[in-house]
């Protein structure tokens, strides 16, 4: 049996700085582990990046064994390009969206939009990404983990079978989000999750999605104590006769600042479990599940 470990990365659509891309490349060289890259089509509508070779820049840190997924935030420039009227609330923070101009809406929750609007944004994203060489997308994560019934139905209707927005609101304790809108909404949508939370089928009126919970949260909000707590929980619940599924999130825009925490965690985890660790991707777990049930 194995500890199935998924390292994932949200691409926010904001910037593509050398320092962050370099940190990702260095991580890949050291660990040779696949990454699930949740790509954001907003890079292509962001005027700040119009003079950059976006495709070449993004593909410079993608390996053959990586997986491409879809990530959505809702800045005005992207929402309008998708043919949707931008909304101004609710936002991740009770203080509202601090972005101005075309970037306004980046902090607005995806759940502010109805199913048809979300569906339009997903379809636009898939078409834009495919036209730029990013196709065969099976996985989705919402910005701020904000994915609810309307988003799930839109995913089913656009043919994306894997969802990975579920997370534990307690993982934001001690961060700037503690007690804010984001943490409260996560608790309402996703309830209680922990290191033992396994992939499951998420039912909705349009069908079902394969949910792969982000049960270790995002490294951006990890502290040394978080790493200790994660490792202790893994040790407490590890069973050599049963697979464990762990999903770590990160962000391209903050890789240089935070990847040392991921490196520390992986070093300590491999010291303890070594060959029992299986670095994998969403689609590998999903298609293996389909084979077992066929």
């Amino acid at each position: 049996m194995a500890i199935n470990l998924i390292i994932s990365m949200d691409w926010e659509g904001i910037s593509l700085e050398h320092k962050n891309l370099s940190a990702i490349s260095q991580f890949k060289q050291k660990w040779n582990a696949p990454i699930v890259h949740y790509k954001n089509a907003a890079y292509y509508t962001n005027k700040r990046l119009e003079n950059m070779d976006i495709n070449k820049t993004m593909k410079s840190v993608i390996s053959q064994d990586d997986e491409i997924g879809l990530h959505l935030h809702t800045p005005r420039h992207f929402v309008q390009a998708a043919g949707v009227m931008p909304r101004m609330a609710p936002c991740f923070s009770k203080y509202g969206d601090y972005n101005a101009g075309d970037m306004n809406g980046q902090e607005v929750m995806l759940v502010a939009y109805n199913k048809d609007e979300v569906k339009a944004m997903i379809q636009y994203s898939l078409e834009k990404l495919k036209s730029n060489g990013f196709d065969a997308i099976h996985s989705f994560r919402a910005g701020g983990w904000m994915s609810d019934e309307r988003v799930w139905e839109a995913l089913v209707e656009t043919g994306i079978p894997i969802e990975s927005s579920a997370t534990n609101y307690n993982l934001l304790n001690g961060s700037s989000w503690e007690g804010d809108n984001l943490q409260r909404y996560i608790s309402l949508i996703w309830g209680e999750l922990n290191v033992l939370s396994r992939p499951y089928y998420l039912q909705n009126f349009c069908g079902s999605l394969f949910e792969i919970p982000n049960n270790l949260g995002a490294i951006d909000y990890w502290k040394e104590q978080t790493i200790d707590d994660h490792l202790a929980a893994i040790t407490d619940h590890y069973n050599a006769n049963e697979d464990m599924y762990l999903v770590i999130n990160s962000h391209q825009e903050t890789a240089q600042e935070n990847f040392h925490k991921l490196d520390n965690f992986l070093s300590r985890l491999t010291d303890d479990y070594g060959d029992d660790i299986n670095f994998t991707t969403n689609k590998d777990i999903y298609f293996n599940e389909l084979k077992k049930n066929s």
Side-chain angles (χ1 to χ4, degrees), residues 163-200:
E163 218 284 345
S164 190
S165 304
T167 194
N168 186 336
Y169 65 96
N170 288 310
L171 295 173
L172 294 177
N173 288 344
S175 76
S176 60
W177 296 113
E178 183 173 1
D180 211 336
N181 287 352
L182 177 60
Q183 189 178 47
R184 291 197 295 272
Y185 272 75
I186 290 172
S187 69
L188 290 170
I189 295 171
W190 298 115
E192 298 289 341
L193 290 168
N194 57 46
V195 72
L196 291 179
S197 297
R198 299 168 63 87
Y200 63 94

Side-chain angles (χ1 to χ4, degrees), residues 91-278:
C91 294
F92 299 140
S93 173
K94 60 189 174 185
Y95 300 110
D97 192 332
Y98 55 81
N99 295 287
D102 283 347
M103 290 302 296
N104 185 257
Q106 181 74 21
E107 300 294 305
V108 172
M109 298 179 183
L110 187 58
V111 296
Y113 294 86
N114 64 40
K115 184 187 79 172
D116 289 339
E117 291 169 330
V118 174
K119 187 175 177 180
M121 286 188 271
I122 293 172
Q123 289 176 323
Y124 173 82
S125 297
L126 293 176
E127 291 167 3
K128 179 66 73 172
L129 289 169
K130 183 177 181 179
S131 69
N132 284 282
F134 299 104
D135 56 2
I137 291 175
H138 299 93
S139 300
F140 172 83
R141 179 177 292 142
W145 302 278
M146 289 292 98
S147 180
D148 66 0
E149 286 87 352
R150 74 202 80 181
V151 179
W152 305 338
E153 292 175 11
L155 290 170
V156 172
E157 292 186 359
T158 51
I160 296 180
I162 306 169
E163 218 284 345
S164 190
S165 304
T167 194
N168 186 336
Y169 65 96
N170 288 310
L171 295 173
L172 294 177
N173 288 344
S175 76
S176 60
W177 296 113
E178 183 173 1
D180 211 336
N181 287 352
L182 177 60
Q183 189 178 47
R184 291 197 295 272
Y185 272 75
I186 290 172
S187 69
L188 290 170
I189 295 171
W190 298 115
E192 298 289 341
L193 290 168
N194 57 46
V195 72
L196 291 179
S197 297
R198 299 168 63 87
Y200 63 94
Y201 282 97
L202 183 64
Q203 303 297 327
N204 60 79
F205 286 113
C206 295
S208 67
L209 296 167
F210 193 63
E211 179 67 38
I212 303 180
N214 175 205
N215 54 359
L216 297 188
I219 62 174
D220 301 57
Y221 311 115
W222 284 6
K223 297 177 172 57
E224 189 64 35
Q225 186 60 51
T226 311
I227 296 174
D228 291 343
D229 291 344
H230 282 334
L231 291 167
I234 293 166
T235 298
D236 288 345
H237 299 292
Y238 177 73
N239 182 342
N241 297 314
E242 184 176 353
D243 278 0
M244 180 177 279
Y245 295 85
L246 305 176
V247 180
I248 298 169
N249 189 21
S250 62
H251 295 84
Q252 182 274 135
E253 273 81 349
T254 59
Q256 191 272 336
E257 179 182 353
N258 293 298
F259 260 47
H260 69 280
K261 292 182 279 188
L262 179 57
D263 180 73
N264 180 15
F265 173 80
L266 293 178
S267 294
R268 294 172 62 184
L269 187 69
T270 52
D271 283 346
D272 291 339
Y273 297 100
D275 293 339
D276 288 350
I277 300 171
N278 173 39

